[in-house]
Amino acid sequence: MKRLQAAMGASEMGRRHFLKLSVGTGFAVYAMAIDAQTPSAKPEDALTPQQQPSAFVSIDADGIVTVTIGKTDIGQGVQTALPMLVAEELDADWAKVRCNLGPAGEAYMDPVYKMQIVGGSTTMKHSWIQYREIGARMRAMLVGAAAKRLGVSASLLKTEAGVVIAPDGRRLTYGDLATAALAEPIPKSVQLKSADQFKFIGKPTGRLDARDKSSGQQKFGIDFTLPAMRTVVMLHPPVFGAKVARFDATQAKAIAGVEDIYQVPLYNGGVGLAVVANGFWPARMAREALKVEWDTAGVEKADTDALWARYRALARQSGTKAHSAHTPDTSALAGARLKITAEYTFPYLAHTPMEPLNCNIDYRGDQCTVWVGSQLQMADQAAVANVLGLKPEQVTLNTMMAGGGFGRRATPTSDYVVDAAQVAKARYAAGRREPIKMIWTREDDVRGGYYRPMHLHRVEIAHDGKGTVLAWKHMIVGQSITGGTPLEPFTVKDGVDETMVEGVAGSPYPFPIALEVHHPKVNVPVLWFRSVGHSHTAFVMETLVDELARAGGIDPVAYRRRLLAKHPRNLAALDLAVEKSGYGKKPLPRGHAWGVAVHESFSSVVAYVVEVSMRGNEPLLHQVTASVHCNMPVNPRTIEAQVQGGLLMGLGMTIPGAEITLKDGHVQQHNWNDYRVPTHAHMPKMTVHIVPSAEPPTGIGEPSVPPIAPAMANAIAALTGKRHRSLPFNV
């Protein structure tokens, strides 16, 4: 528990929060209890730091409203959507709204997780009320200040576009009232608008960061600099957990600009080398000039081919049951006349965000300042403090805009941040006081980072040939993401890591699935990847549903509609995609076929209807019609962008070469030259449609990733009769 508290920065919070965690591109906390023996620092009726307008809203004399958010923007658009929530209830002038990213701090903890985090597609879901109440409280304080200045009852005043208006027409701008408003009492209870009163929420809105990003002015963590800052690059062991046996730095130190080379302890027990120079290029050249012998004694050397053989053997052995209540009867499998037996394989995947991992640190002995694009600000703050022997409050962590993350910037070990802290510590001990910029190149991360685990599914299904499943036995083999971490007690239930089985366990399809798992221990570090377990389970479920439909001579859409009769949100998404695509009505060119998939993840549903043809053995994706049910669409423009980006990332998992393989413990891929990712050339024509809803919003960052690969596979099967059982499509 002490490790968990440290990871959460519990000493700064003033309370011990015991979290029950589930899945997410990061964490997704679905329940929390507070240790009753720890006294609260505030009266029961007091507002928490997360409810205080002063931490989130500032207004200058010109009426510019700056909203500080407690999240990291990794491209998902929260730097616009969260200010929209505040501006809606504040009645702000949107042209005068700006946004800042908040530092690590208690005020910016997620109201559900009770820690600062971006993950699990939960920002809108968890912040929906919080940020609107912040805006409403600030508005009430402005109105209170105006009432005193105008000598009018607050109940008679109205607000619009950053102005308070009296019944007689007198007007005071928010800029006029900003200072006085801060002296007004903060209301605990506020009345929020109804959906029919919204002026901003639900309206397509351009991103606040669009101008800076499109003009190249946006500053990311890798762009940050300080006077005299030094650059650090790491040389990690070629096998996970290995150590430096000996090294010769003579040639490296002879390179102009190179200052120091340190041995650095790594989170996994290994030891690496850090090269410090006055710029990135000399640091990288020096790293290449190092002569190193590595000690790999006692370290497992993972091998992809050997792992697949091991996984296949495990898949035929009894595993740990994923359903504790009961296990469906599978006796009908014996001697079944109609049966599907299938094996699915999914490789390790790297995250490879556009902006390489980086961390900037200025360590001054009793104080430290960090600039990093973190998805876990308080956890990374605590990790730096732990390395440097400081208290978390002695570490100021500034949140930087991040160029993509996909889960990689939310690591329980804070690996690259800890690397930077270790180097800062070593330099300080050596009398060096310059700030440092740690850069993990993309090659560093591809060869020595974290990966989406490889998985093998073995499925046996007995059916009646008319769409009814008589028995379903399902085995999943793959590493646990949280096993061996401080999160294991909260994510692994009865020996089953929930992040691995989501999408099969809890499927809306009413199949009698007897689900078991194996969690082999492998010396390969694994982590959540955008859409987590759904990145492989959706492919298995949606292709099998399609196969069952065709085996029964049933239209795949009609079959899904029958199975999803008790799930109206799933049906609504499916029906909208089908309607907008012209499925079953619009004639397709010869050699083209429809493919369909619909999948729910992170409380949202995404359906795809695709049009595919074949060029030899290569599938060509011509058109995608997407439909999403994420309840209230806060910013439809952001939702459209997220669905487009998620589709492209999911499409990337189908491209030959989109896999991480190992030989003798070494990762064989290096960068985008041999680890394939999708490009503009892969992007099909697509339209995105949103199911109307006034219900509180759900997630959108991850749900669009899983369904595209199975939709394509289903179209390929319709054209060729061949069922793809693996990703990528190695044709």
Side-chain angles (χ1 to χ4, degrees):
M1 182 56 68
K2 288 182 180 179
R3 291 178 66 200
L4 178 62
Q5 289 174 329
M8 294 168 54
S11 60
E12 182 180 52
M13 296 180 198
R15 285 182 166 192
R16 286 181 291 163
H17 296 284
F18 295 85
L19 303 181
K20 186 177 184 181
L21 299 133
S22 179
V23 297
T25 299
F27 311 88
V29 180
Y30 61 82
M32 179 196 70
I34 300 175
D35 184 2
Q37 296 181 355
T38 302
S40 173
K42 307 176 187 67
E44 286 299 317
D45 60 348
L47 293 171
T48 67
Q50 299 85 44
Q51 297 171 310
Q52 299 283 348
S54 60
F56 295 86
V57 182
S58 66
I59 304 174
D60 70 13
D62 295 326
I64 300 296
V65 176
T66 301
V67 179
T68 298
I69 64 173
K71 302 293 183 178
T72 304
D73 198 312
I74 45 179
Q76 78 276 41
V78 295
Q79 211 173 359
T80 301
L82 288 176
M84 287 175 68
L85 300 184
V86 174
E88 183 67 71
E89 301 293 345
L90 180 60
D91 279 338
D93 178 354
W94 183 252
K96 293 186 175 182
V97 175
R98 309 290 185 266
C99 183
N100 285 334
L101 302 179
E106 185 177 0
Y108 303 115
M109 293 191 305
D110 184 283
V112 176
Y113 293 170
K114 302 302 179 186
M115 65 188 299
Q116 202 170 351
I117 182 175
V118 170
S121 297
T122 54
T123 293
M124 287 296 107
K125 183 178 180 180
H126 290 179
S127 304
W128 171 244
I129 298 298
Q130 178 196 9
Y131 279 72
R132 290 173 63 202
E133 286 186 342
I134 289 292
R137 289 192 180 97
M138 192 71 231
R139 175 189 174 276
M141 294 162 69
L142 289 161
V143 169
K148 291 178 180 177
R149 186 172 299 185
L150 297 170
V152 177
S153 171
S155 63
L156 299 177
L157 299 175
K158 67 176 184 178
T159 56
E160 63 179 37
V163 177
V164 181
I165 306 170
D168 60 6
R170 286 180 294 166
R171 302 162 67 90
L172 290 171
T173 69
Y174 285 1
D176 296 332
L177 298 165
T179 301
L182 293 177
E184 289 293 306
I186 305 173
K188 181 175 177 61
S189 177
V190 286
Q191 180 68 44
L192 300 180
K193 293 180 181 180
S194 58
D196 60 354
Q197 297 174 305
F198 290 159
K199 296 178 181 178
F200 304 135
I201 295 174
K203 308 299 190 296
T205 303
R207 289 177 55 147
L208 294 178
D209 56 349
R211 183 177 298 276
D212 282 350
K213 285 186 172 178
S214 60
S215 63
Q217 298 179 73
Q218 178 66 62
K219 298 298 183 185
F220 296 85
I222 203 167
D223 300 315
F224 182 80
T225 189
L226 288 171
M229 178 173 270
R230 301 299 192 256
T231 301
V232 182
V233 298
M234 294 292 299
L235 179 61
H236 291 113
V239 178
F240 300 110
K243 298 177 173 65
V244 176
R246 60 190 61 84
F247 72 99
D248 181 351
T250 304
Q251 293 182 25
K253 288 185 175 181
I255 295 173
V258 175
E259 292 185 352
D260 299 292
I261 296 172
Y262 302 96
Q263 290 198 53
V264 177
L266 306 176
Y267 75 92
N268 58 11
V271 176
L273 294 171
V275 180
V276 183
N278 62 7
F280 173 75
W281 189 246
R284 177 162 182 163
M285 293 296 291
R287 179 175 66 177
E288 294 177 1
L290 286 170
K291 300 184 185 302
V292 187
E293 293 181 33
W294 299 99
D295 178 5
T296 61
V299 177
E300 177 195 354
K301 298 178 178 64
D303 182 277
T304 299
D305 291 340
L307 284 174
W308 283 131
R310 179 182 172 191
Y311 281 23
R312 288 187 173 96
L314 285 171
R316 295 179 179 276
Q317 302 171 19
S318 295
T320 303
K321 292 180 174 57
H323 294 287
S324 57
H326 70 282
T327 301
D329 183 15
T330 59
S331 59
L333 289 168
R337 186 176 64 86
L338 297 173
K339 189 174 176 180
I340 296 173
T341 300
E343 177 187 278
Y344 292 82
T345 57
F346 305 91
Y348 287 113
L349 295 177
H351 300 77
T352 66
M354 180 66 75
E355 179 197 15
L357 301 175
N358 62 87
C359 179
N360 304 278
I361 289 186
D362 187 7
Y363 177 41
R364 299 292 175 172
D366 60 349
Q367 297 288 328
C368 182
T369 306
V370 181
W371 295 263
V372 62
S374 170
Q375 290 180 244
L376 282 173
Q377 293 98 314
M378 294 180 77
D380 285 344
Q381 177 192 41
V384 171
N386 182 58
V387 170
L388 300 179
L390 301 175
K391 297 178 181 178
E393 55 265 30
Q394 292 175 279
V395 177
T396 299
L397 188 146
N398 299 295
T399 305
M400 302 298 293
M401 175 75 75
F406 317 121
R408 183 61 182 93
R409 302 183 197 270
T411 59
T413 60
S414 300
D415 56 344
Y416 65 98
V417 176
V418 166
D419 274 3
Q422 292 283 11
V423 176
K425 179 180 179 181
R427 284 178 61 75
Y428 190 86
R432 305 304 297 260
R433 302 293 187 264
E434 301 89 352
I436 63 169
K437 178 192 293 292
M438 167 72 71
I439 297 178
W440 275 35
T441 66
R442 189 168 296 110
E443 291 93 340
D444 295 334
D445 198 31
V446 168
R447 291 181 294 181
Y450 276 91
Y451 309 93
R452 196 283 307 269
M454 60 182 278
H455 290 91
L456 183 144
H457 292 237
R458 178 176 170 78
V459 184
E460 296 178 74
I461 302 172
H463 62 97
D464 67 354
K466 300 177 182 178
T468 299
V469 171
L470 307 175
W472 184 310
K473 184 177 180 180
H474 200 130
M475 178 70 74
I476 307 178
V477 184
Q479 289 168 260
S480 167
I481 288 175
T482 59
T485 76
L487 305 179
E488 181 173 2
F490 310 94
T491 58
V492 179
K493 292 184 176 181
D494 300 321
V496 177
D497 187 335
E498 294 185 335
T499 68
M500 189 171 90
V501 299
E502 58 184 357
V504 177
S507 169
Y509 295 122
F511 297 133
I513 301 175
L515 178 61
E516 297 182 11
V517 305
H518 286 284
H519 289 309
K521 303 291 186 182
V522 182
N523 184 32
V524 177
V526 293
L527 185 68
W528 27 76
F529 179 90
R530 189 177 182 183
S531 78
V532 201
H534 299 279
S535 65
H536 55 98
T537 59
F539 186 86
V540 175
M541 294 301 295
E542 283 303 303
T543 55
L544 285 172
V545 165
D546 200 82
E547 191 168 352
L548 285 164
R550 296 187 185 279
I554 309 168
D555 176 81
V557 169
Y559 186 53
R560 285 176 171 83
R561 295 199 83 260
R562 188 173 93 188
L563 294 172
L564 296 171
K566 295 182 179 180
H567 296 272
R569 294 175 76 240
N570 300 62
L571 274 179
L574 175 62
D575 287 346
L576 183 58
V578 168
E579 174 196 346
K580 295 296 184 179
S581 68
Y583 176 94
K585 297 178 181 178
K586 182 181 75 174
L588 293 179
R590 184 172 180 174
H592 290 223
W594 300 108
V596 178
V598 56
H599 188 75
E600 180 176 359
S601 60
F602 306 96
S603 303
S604 294
V605 184
V606 174
Y608 289 134
V609 178
V610 304
E611 181 185 338
V612 173
S613 70
M614 300 296 293
R615 182 171 59 194
N617 291 326
E618 179 186 358
L620 300 178
L621 183 58
H622 298 279
Q623 179 78 38
V624 177
T625 304
S627 171
V628 57
H629 199 318
C630 58
N631 290 356
M632 169 62 74
V634 174
N635 186 357
R637 189 166 292 173
T638 297
I639 292 169
E640 180 183 25
Q642 284 293 285
V643 173
Q644 291 169 339
L647 176 138
L648 190 61
M649 189 167 185
L651 176 60
M653 290 191 283
T654 72
I655 300 171
E659 57 186 324
I660 293 293
T661 57
L662 295 102
K663 188 71 175 177
D664 196 30
H666 295 234
V667 172
Q668 295 179 289
Q669 290 71 32
H670 297 80
N671 204 324
W672 287 337
N673 63 307
D674 52 11
Y675 178 72
R676 296 287 305 282
V677 296
T679 66
H680 288 291
H682 293 98
M683 190 67 183
K685 295 178 181 178
M686 75 174 298
T687 56
V688 180
H689 307 277
I690 302 171
V691 177
S693 174
E695 294 298 309
T698 52
I700 195 57
E702 296 168 276
S704 58
V705 175
I708 185 61
M712 286 185 65
N714 291 336
I716 294 169
L719 285 169
T720 67
K722 177 184 177 182
R723 284 284 167 190
H724 279 280
R725 308 278 194 204
S726 299
L727 292 178
F729 296 156
N730 288 316
V731 294

